Amino acid sequence: MNQAKILIIEDDAAIADLLSYGLSMEGFETKTTASGAEGMMELQQFQPDLLLLDWMLPDQSGLDICKKVTASHNLPIMMITAKSDITDKILGLEFGADDYITKPFDLREVVARIRTILRRVDQANKRHDDQREVIRLEHIEIIVEERLVQKDGHTVDLTPKEFDLLMTLIGHRGKTYTRAELLDIVWGYDFHGDTRTVDTHIQRLRKKLDAGDLIATVFGIGYKFENRR
């Protein structure tokens, strides 16, 4: 994806400049901000294809920004963190981040991960464009092309990952997916920590959609979407 736009929210000027320069040299259009408040304003004006977000910001937590963005935008997010603890990384994913990278980092790895995320988003969009149908399941209606989900006629706000997880399960109703398979399909890379992030997203889907009877737990294995209309 040429000339994809990357918004960088990073308060360390040296790191922000390095990322901006390096990504620009790789053909990306970049914009940098040094605080969460500035970043949220720039988000509306710049309309980026991906957000590169520092965990620790001077005015608010990167996790708070991540939560706000995923609640209102279908935008992939890569967290930049100095935290190496796996629990912190899982927390970032559960808040809606698509990936994370730990300081100090190799710029080549950042570029590679960004390209992987954007390629996956592009492929997902093409798949959804080919599925111009409305899926109806009991009290749930999904307009695939618009990534719109409604429950009893009311719009349900799903994060991008929650929507992708739902579509994965619905795409093969009755098929049991292991947690590892769902991580690989929805998050797009091998995850070396535990699988609690899948459980968390499943719990949120069930609650938001009132679908505890539709999204079934297959004990000892994973999850499936019941094969019924």
Side-chain angles (χ1 to χ4, degrees):
M1 181 182 294
N2 293 326
Q3 283 300 306
K5 297 194 291 186
I6 312 295
L7 175 61
I8 303 165
I9 306 180
E10 167 63 68
D11 65 316
D12 187 316
I15 293 177
D17 289 345
L18 171 66
L19 288 168
S20 180
Y21 176 77
L23 291 172
S24 297
M25 293 299 292
E26 292 292 330
F28 296 103
E29 182 181 351
T30 66
K31 183 80 70 173
T32 63
T33 65
S35 72
E38 292 176 4
M40 291 302 292
M41 287 191 295
E42 198 63 58
L43 191 67
Q44 304 299 326
Q45 299 175 11
F46 187 52
Q47 295 290 308
D49 297 295
L50 182 140
L51 175 59
L52 205 50
L53 176 63
D54 188 23
W55 184 293
M56 302 294 292
L57 294 167
D59 58 339
Q60 55 191 298
S61 166
L63 287 179
D64 291 334
I65 294 293
C66 186
K67 187 175 181 180
K68 292 176 185 177
V69 171
T70 55
S72 57
H73 296 76
N74 182 25
L75 179 69
I77 301 172
M78 177 185 287
M79 298 288 294
I80 308 170
T81 175
K83 298 175 178 289
S84 58
D85 188 277
I86 191 66
T87 302
D88 291 322
K89 294 175 179 177
I90 292 171
L91 185 61
L93 294 173
E94 291 179 350
F95 270 65
D98 293 80
D99 201 356
Y100 57 81
I101 193 155
T102 306
K103 300 175 185 177
F105 51 76
D106 188 315
L107 186 59
R108 292 171 298 181
E109 183 180 1
V110 176
V111 171
R113 286 179 178 238
I114 287 174
R115 292 194 189 282
T116 297
I117 293 172
L118 293 177
R119 183 166 55 248
R120 188 169 70 248
V121 169
D122 189 50
Q123 291 170 348
N125 288 338
K126 288 179 179 177
R127 286 197 301 271
H128 293 148
D129 286 343
D130 291 338
Q131 299 176 23
R132 298 179 182 273
E133 83 272 20
V134 176
I135 299 173
R136 293 182 177 87
L137 299 154
E138 297 187 357
H139 59 289
I140 300 169
E141 182 176 272
I142 304 167
I143 304 173
V144 180
E145 180 183 6
E146 299 178 20
R147 294 176 69 90
L148 176 66
V149 179
Q150 295 183 323
K151 180 183 72 173
D152 297 326
H154 299 286
T155 299
V156 180
D157 292 324
L158 298 184
T159 68
K161 281 290 173 284
E162 288 168 350
F163 182 86
D164 291 343
L165 180 58
L166 177 63
M167 291 305 299
T168 298
L169 293 170
I170 287 179
H172 295 86
R173 279 168 251 174
K175 171 181 168 60
T176 298
Y177 287 92
T178 67
R179 291 171 175 83
E181 286 174 331
L182 291 172
L183 280 169
D184 186 54
I185 294 168
V186 177
W187 278 261
Y189 58 92
D190 292 331
F191 188 71
H192 299 296
D194 60 39
T195 55
R196 286 179 296 173
T197 190
V198 172
D199 297 330
T200 299
H201 281 72
I202 290 289
Q203 290 168 13
R204 290 177 181 169
L205 276 177
R206 284 171 170 164
K207 183 176 181 180
K208 289 182 178 182
L209 299 175
D210 190 21
D213 60 332
L214 289 174
I215 303 174
T217 299
V218 182
F219 292 100
I221 302 177
Y223 299 99
K224 68 176 180 179
F225 203 97
E226 294 290 2
N227 188 16
R228 57 172 122 145
R229 295 284 177 181

